[in-house]
């Protein structure tokens, strides 16, 4: 006999919090989170980013303090973005030994050796034209960009980064980075590739924060069309073949189906990047009193985990970790 209403009542298992806890299918934990930070040159700099309330431009010394706080809350990893002293056509500071990310990596690893320091590898914060690669004849030249992107990754790893995360979306960059790391004796440094990264309007607040908006055109010639999911599987497959150790889908909330499909299909650790626009929307609504920030943030992050992400990169990481520990 198949039980159905009135014998069957699904509400029974939702009656009390302890019961709900027992049957909860998805457990979000501070250990799932990665905290992205923006580093700038200088000392004692801690400047709030207008488009991302609660996030700051941090000099290396302040980045150490911020990272220490995140680690203390149970967040195991940070992701570093750099705002250089100056920009040029080839993004020189991206791969400079005294580049801002390199300085911050050294400072953080010296104080917090157990914290996993991941670096975002791209040229757009460092180029005067704001594109993620080298521009030749008004176009982003894939193959010429590879060498500089690989050099950037190697420079980060030489400074002590535990993991590198290329976000440029050039074809062949994972392979190029792997070769460059291996040649440099950095065989044990893993690559987390932004494998399926979309040309998204939700990067808007980040581009204000990183001063990295393209000065002409857009990124649609290298980042993915938001309408495509089968192509995302090909992007991921290609990065795995080139040697990616973990894969990422970005953004997260508008792309939960992409996360779910990637989870079904691939066995690598899967990360999802809940980007600046997702953060800014929740922050703005919360600041207006239109959403309960704690509940909305934890619901959004739980949804991303439920879709299949093992790792969630989020600007809410410190707050979320604090709330999770208190609950
Ligand atoms: C650099 C990069 C971007 C983001 C991560 N790495 C911006 C972009 O591609 O324009 C977006 C992060 C965010 O919006 O939070 N390529
Ligand atoms: Zn870029």
């Amino acid at each position: 006999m198949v039980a159905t209403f009135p014998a069957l009542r699904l509400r029974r298992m939702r009656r009390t919090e302890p019961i709900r806890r027992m049957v909860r299918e998805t457990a979000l934990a501070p250990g799932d989170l990665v905290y992205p930070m923006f580093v700038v040159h200088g000392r004692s700099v801690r400047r709030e980013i207008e488009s991302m309330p609660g996030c700051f431009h941090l000099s290396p010394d302040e980045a150490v303090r911020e990272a220490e706080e995140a680690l203390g809350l149970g967040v195991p990893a940070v992701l570093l973005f750099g705002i250089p002293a100056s920009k040029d056509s080839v993004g020189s500071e991206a791969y400079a030994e005294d580049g801002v990310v390199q300085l911050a990596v050294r400072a953080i690893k010296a104080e917090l050796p157990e914290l996993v320091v991941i670096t975002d590898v791209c040229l757009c914060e460092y180029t005067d034209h704001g594109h993620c690669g080298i521009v030749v004849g008004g176009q982003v030249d894939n193959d010429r960009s590879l060498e500089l992107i690989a050099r950037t990754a190697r420079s980060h790893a030489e400074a002590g980064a535990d993991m590198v995360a290329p976000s440029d979306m050039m074809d062949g960059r994972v392979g190029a980075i792997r070769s460059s790391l291996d040649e440099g004796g950095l065989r044990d440094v893993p690559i987390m590739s932004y494998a399926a990264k979309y040309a998204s309007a939700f990067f808007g607040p980040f581009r204000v924060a990183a001063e990295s908006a393209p000065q002409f055109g857009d990124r649609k010639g290298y980042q993915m069309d938001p309408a495509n999911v089968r192509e995302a599987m090909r992007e991921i497959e290609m990065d795995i073949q080139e040697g990616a150790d973990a894969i990422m889908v970005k953004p997260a909330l508008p792309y939960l189906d992409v996360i779910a499909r990637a989870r079904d299909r691939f066995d690598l650790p899967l990360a999802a990047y809940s980007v600046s626009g997702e953060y800014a929307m929740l922050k703005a609504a919360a600041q207006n009193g239109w959403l309960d920030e704690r509940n909305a943030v934890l619901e959004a992050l739980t949804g991303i985990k439920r879709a299949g992400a093992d790792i969630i990169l989020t600007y809410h990481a410190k707050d979320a970790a604090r709330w999770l520990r208190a609950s």
Side-chain angles (χ1 to χ4, degrees), residues 28-34 73-77 310-312 321 324:
L28 184 69
D32 304 329
L33 308 177
V34 176
L73 290 163
V75 175
D310 302 303
I311 299 165
I312 305 173
L324 288 168

Side-chain angles (χ1 to χ4, degrees), residues 37-245:
M37 302 196 306
F38 298 90
V39 295
V40 297
H41 287 281
R43 273 190 62 81
S44 308
V45 181
R46 188 180 180 84
R47 233 180 2 246
E48 190 161 24
I49 297 165
E50 205 188 315
S51 55
M52 301 175 66
C55 293
F56 298 83
H57 281 155
L58 302 163
S59 50
D61 55 320
E62 287 291 326
V64 173
R65 292 178 49 186
E66 188 79 4
E68 187 172 19
E69 195 187 339
L71 184 64
L73 290 163
V75 175
V78 297
L79 172 70
L80 300 184
F81 293 96
I83 290 107
S86 65
K87 305 185 189 231
D88 60 27
S89 66
V90 292
S92 303
E93 198 183 310
Y95 37 89
E97 213 191 313
D98 58 353
V100 69
V101 164
Q102 288 81 349
L103 295 176
V105 169
R106 285 193 207 97
I108 294 172
K109 288 304 293 185
E111 299 276 332
L112 309 166
E114 71 278 31
L115 180 72
V116 180
V117 175
I118 311 171
T119 56
D120 181 90
V121 174
C122 201
L123 298 182
C124 55
E125 296 107 89
Y126 305 91
T127 51
D128 49 16
H129 47 72
H131 279 287
C132 301
I134 297 306
V135 173
V136 180
Q139 301 279 339
V140 176
D141 187 293
N142 191 87
D143 298 15
R144 283 204 216 175
S145 303
L146 291 183
E147 188 206 331
L148 297 183
I149 285 159
R151 208 158 131 189
T152 302
R154 181 159 156 181
S155 165
H156 291 174
E158 279 166 354
D162 294 295
M163 198 181 298
V164 292
S167 66
D168 53 285
M169 288 301 276
M170 298 301 123
D171 288 321
R173 91 265 205 217
V174 173
I177 291 172
R178 188 70 269 156
S179 305
S180 164
L181 291 175
D182 290 357
E183 277 162 28
L186 298 155
R187 281 197 180 73
D188 293 332
V189 175
I191 302 171
M192 174 190 282
S193 87
Y194 287 70
K197 176 173 175 183
Y198 288 86
S200 173
F202 290 91
F203 303 155
F206 173 95
R207 289 183 190 164
V208 175
E211 297 155 13
S212 67
Q215 298 302 298
F216 66 89
D218 52 41
R219 301 209 205 291
K220 291 179 185 166
Y222 41 105
Q223 298 180 346
M224 284 185 53
D225 185 331
N228 293 357
V229 63
R230 295 192 300 266
E231 187 188 359
M233 300 302 108
R234 297 190 70 203
E235 279 284 0
I236 295 170
E237 221 149 56
M238 182 170 164
D239 284 7
I240 294 173
Q241 275 167 4
E242 290 179 27
D245 300 282

